[in-house]
Amino acid sequence: MDEGFLSSLLKAVEAVAAELGIEGTGAGASTLSPAWAQLGAPPAVLASDPHKGIGALRDADPAFQIDEFLVHVGEMFSAYHEALDKGDLAPVRRFVDEAAYAKLEPAAKASRRADGPRALRVQAIRPITAKHEDGLDLVRIFITAEQPGTDELLCEYWELVRNRGVLTKPGLSITKCPNCGGPVDGLDPTRCAYCGTRLADPALDWVVRKITAQ
């Protein structure tokens, strides 16, 4: 993530943290109105209050922090769009499950940008669903981002899952193996070069199950 993207991400996360009444990431409170409020409720409508679901996740996993989780999702979002702009989604296989990857990958080559990856800035990132479902923890996120200097606005839903009972490990990052903590070297985007563990495994960490553009 470049500094501009990270700064915008932290501001968006601070806005959610303030709304939920939790301690933020330390980036300072944001004075920006969340983009979802400016745009109107997304098509899924924020009908189911995610606060109780987040509380249930915390009850089962005391180390789970929604602000840290949203920064983690922002890290994935940045890596996904950088890969998409390069026309090669292989790097995202470290955090996207196989079924989702199979649906996303065919469009990658057509999305390649001759001028390279865009410099995106997050306007809003917020949970709209958090619940236990079929033995999984499931969180659905609505993200909006813009490209400075253009009218282009990305609006996406991200659905992430992990097996129920999995506990949050410190230093959550797509650059580390969720099993041994070793660095992900990029040579094989599906397995850790140190312990051989499959990286996109909901038994170890959050995995993207679905990405839907609005």
Side-chain angles (χ1 to χ4, degrees):
M1 292 185 287
D2 64 49
E3 286 190 15
F5 181 88
L6 180 58
S7 176
S8 67
L9 172 62
L10 293 179
K11 284 183 179 180
V13 170
E14 283 288 346
V16 173
E19 177 186 335
L20 296 178
I22 62 175
E23 185 177 351
T25 58
S30 172
T31 58
L32 300 176
S33 299
W36 61 267
Q38 297 171 10
L39 296 170
V45 186
L46 307 180
S48 64
D49 185 350
H51 297 204
K52 290 182 179 179
I54 292 169
L57 286 175
R58 286 290 305 277
D59 289 342
D61 175 13
F64 178 83
Q65 299 287 342
I66 188 61
D67 53 346
E68 293 177 359
F69 172 75
L70 291 176
V71 171
H72 186 44
V73 176
E75 182 185 25
M76 295 177 179
F77 179 87
S78 176
Y80 169 69
H81 280 284
E82 180 179 352
L84 199 63
D85 289 350
K86 290 180 178 179
D88 179 11
L89 279 188
V92 310
R93 296 184 69 181
R94 54 189 159 161
F95 57 81
V96 175
D97 78 13
E98 293 182 5
Y101 182 81
K103 293 179 180 179
L104 296 169
E105 197 275 335
K109 290 184 179 180
S111 300
R112 184 179 181 278
R113 299 172 69 98
D115 56 350
R118 293 162 289 182
L120 297 176
R121 300 293 180 264
V122 176
Q123 285 193 346
I125 179 168
R126 64 175 285 115
I128 58 172
T129 305
K131 62 183 179 179
H132 296 306
E133 179 181 271
D134 299 328
L136 298 170
D137 294 332
L138 181 150
V139 180
R140 200 162 182 242
I141 306 294
F142 181 62
I143 309 173
T144 63
E146 64 178 345
Q147 182 180 8
T150 75
D151 295 327
E152 185 175 3
L153 184 67
L154 295 172
C155 299
E156 295 177 348
Y157 295 99
W158 282 53
E159 186 173 287
L160 296 98
V161 296
R162 69 178 181 181
N163 290 3
R164 190 169 185 178
V166 174
L167 301 178
T168 299
K169 296 179 180 178
L172 202 65
S173 174
I174 60 174
T175 65
K176 299 178 182 178
C177 170
N179 182 53
C180 72
V184 176
D185 62 14
L187 296 178
D188 182 350
T190 64
R191 292 194 176 275
C192 175
Y194 298 89
C195 68
T197 296
R198 181 166 65 94
L199 297 173
D201 186 351
L204 296 172
D205 195 4
W206 293 98
V207 172
V208 177
R209 187 168 76 172
K210 192 174 184 180
I211 299 174
T212 306
Q214 180 181 328

